[in-house]
Amino acid sequence: MRFIHTRFLREDMVLGKPLYDTAGRLLLQEGTTLKKNYITKIRKLRYNGVYISDRYSSGVDVPEVVSPETRMEAVVAIREAYRRLESGLNNIEALQEKISRIVHSVVDEILEHDEILINMVDLKMYDDYTFFHSTNVAVISAIIGIGLGMPRRDLYELAQGGLLHDLGKICIPDVILNKKEPLTDDEMQLIRTHPLQGYEIIKKKLDLSARSYVAILQHHEKVDGTGYPYGLTGDRITLFGKILAIADVYDALTSDRPYRPGWPPSEALEYVL
């Protein structure tokens, strides 16, 4: 199978992997022959691309870094956390066990690979930004942690911070988050409050490790001191905070945003390096 961007999809192509909608429901089975209305639906759901099977890629298997089922379960859990906060229910504590179980599944599935060879395109198949971004950051953070030789317990705590890192955006109006024009100074200042807002919400509502809390707080800090909310430098930023920052930047760059199209993975990696 091979990855095809949605703009190059054609009728009669055959899906190499199943597709799911934004609620985690199976949309199209593996082996489905694409029709015009299927392609329209895939584009409407903002898939960046899909895997297809054809004679050019016969016998080429692309293993999942994390199963589609686990990915969608994570997306649904994060969406539910946002919904509860938006509606004023505020009882995201009820999701604690579910979030912990999902994070364990994410890390365990990645670790099942004897040799991890990550296809960076595969990490960005979908772009329902708010919820899939959180899942992507958890997965990418865990992969970086594995590369650094972290023990399993650390990986769980790291991925949990990644999954919840942007929850503070619930406090930022959508009109600012989705604005196409440059932000005003006041709007930028408001955006820069979301790591602290998320840290305070999550610390109050969920029982995580101290490292997970701090990573959420620090995921926009930069080693040269130009980050936020505190402008920390160098080793004043924790390792977890640095990893989440890298994962967050990579995923943000490769996502379509209201003010610019997503970058190819190769360009995003070059930028990060």
Side-chain angles (χ1 to χ4, degrees):
M1 69 183 75
R2 59 194 177 107
F3 187 82
I4 297 291
H5 195 282
T6 50
R7 65 176 173 267
F8 300 126
L9 292 179
R10 300 290 183 268
E11 291 184 68
D12 297 327
M13 286 182 171
V14 178
L15 280 181
K17 293 185 179 183
L19 299 184
Y20 295 81
D21 66 13
T22 55
R25 297 168 299 209
L26 182 65
L27 181 66
L28 294 172
Q29 292 272 14
E30 175 183 343
T32 298
T33 299
L34 294 181
K35 301 177 181 177
K36 185 176 181 180
N37 61 317
Y38 293 169
I39 296 172
T40 300
K41 181 69 172 179
I42 290 169
R43 290 171 177 163
K44 185 176 180 181
L45 287 172
R46 298 178 64 190
Y47 266 93
N48 286 341
V50 300
Y51 283 96
I52 65 162
S53 296
D54 59 15
R55 62 188 179 91
Y56 301 109
S57 57
S58 178
V60 177
D61 183 35
V62 183
E64 298 283 0
V65 177
V66 176
S67 70
E69 293 79 11
T70 297
R71 276 183 186 273
M72 293 309 306
E73 194 175 7
V75 170
V76 170
I78 289 297
R79 182 183 285 111
E80 177 64 13
Y82 273 79
R83 187 191 69 80
R84 287 172 184 249
L85 290 171
E86 284 178 330
S87 63
L89 297 176
N90 288 326
N91 58 336
I92 63 171
E93 299 92 333
L95 298 175
Q96 171 92 47
E97 184 178 344
K98 183 176 184 179
I99 289 171
S100 178
R101 177 174 52 78
I102 290 169
V103 165
H104 279 64
S105 294
V106 166
V107 172
D108 291 346
E109 287 183 20
I110 297 173
L111 286 172
E112 283 178 5
H113 297 275
D114 293 331
E115 296 181 6
I116 298 178
L117 180 60
I118 302 302
N119 179 354
M120 299 306 285
V121 170
D122 193 41
L123 298 177
K124 281 300 306 175
M125 281 185 65
Y126 203 99
D127 191 33
D128 179 350
Y129 187 74
T130 300
F131 309 116
F132 280 83
H133 172 67
S134 297
T135 303
N136 291 339
V137 169
V139 172
I140 296 168
S141 296
I143 291 168
I144 295 172
I146 292 169
L148 293 173
M150 287 185 176
R152 193 177 294 253
R153 178 179 176 181
D154 289 4
L155 295 171
Y156 293 147
E157 294 177 359
L158 177 61
Q160 197 157 50
L163 193 62
L164 298 167
H165 79 286
D166 259 353
L167 203 61
K169 285 186 176 177
I170 196 71
C171 304
I172 311 299
D174 287 345
V175 67
I176 294 178
L177 292 176
N178 298 319
K179 187 176 179 180
K180 295 181 179 180
E181 299 79 18
L183 297 176
T184 66
D185 289 345
D186 287 344
E187 290 169 339
M188 181 58 72
Q189 285 301 113
L190 187 57
I191 285 280
R192 288 175 175 237
T193 66
H194 83 265
L196 181 57
Q197 299 265 28
Y199 167 80
E200 291 178 342
I201 291 170
I202 294 165
K203 198 169 189 301
K204 181 179 178 181
K205 299 290 185 181
L206 299 176
D207 182 22
L208 309 183
S209 74
R211 290 187 296 182
S212 298
Y213 292 134
V214 174
I216 291 165
L217 179 63
Q218 294 182 345
H219 77 272
H220 276 293
E221 298 287 1
K222 298 180 181 179
V223 293
D224 64 359
T226 60
Y228 58 88
Y230 296 122
L232 301 179
T233 58
D235 290 339
R236 295 181 66 198
I237 308 169
T238 64
L239 179 59
F240 276 25
K242 291 175 180 177
I243 292 173
L244 256 62
I246 290 171
D248 182 62
V249 167
Y250 172 81
D251 192 68
L253 288 175
T254 53
S255 300
D256 288 333
R257 305 300 291 126
Y259 44 85
R260 58 146 179 83
W263 292 14
S266 58
E267 291 184 18
L269 284 173
E270 183 177 351
Y271 177 90
V272 169
L273 293 172

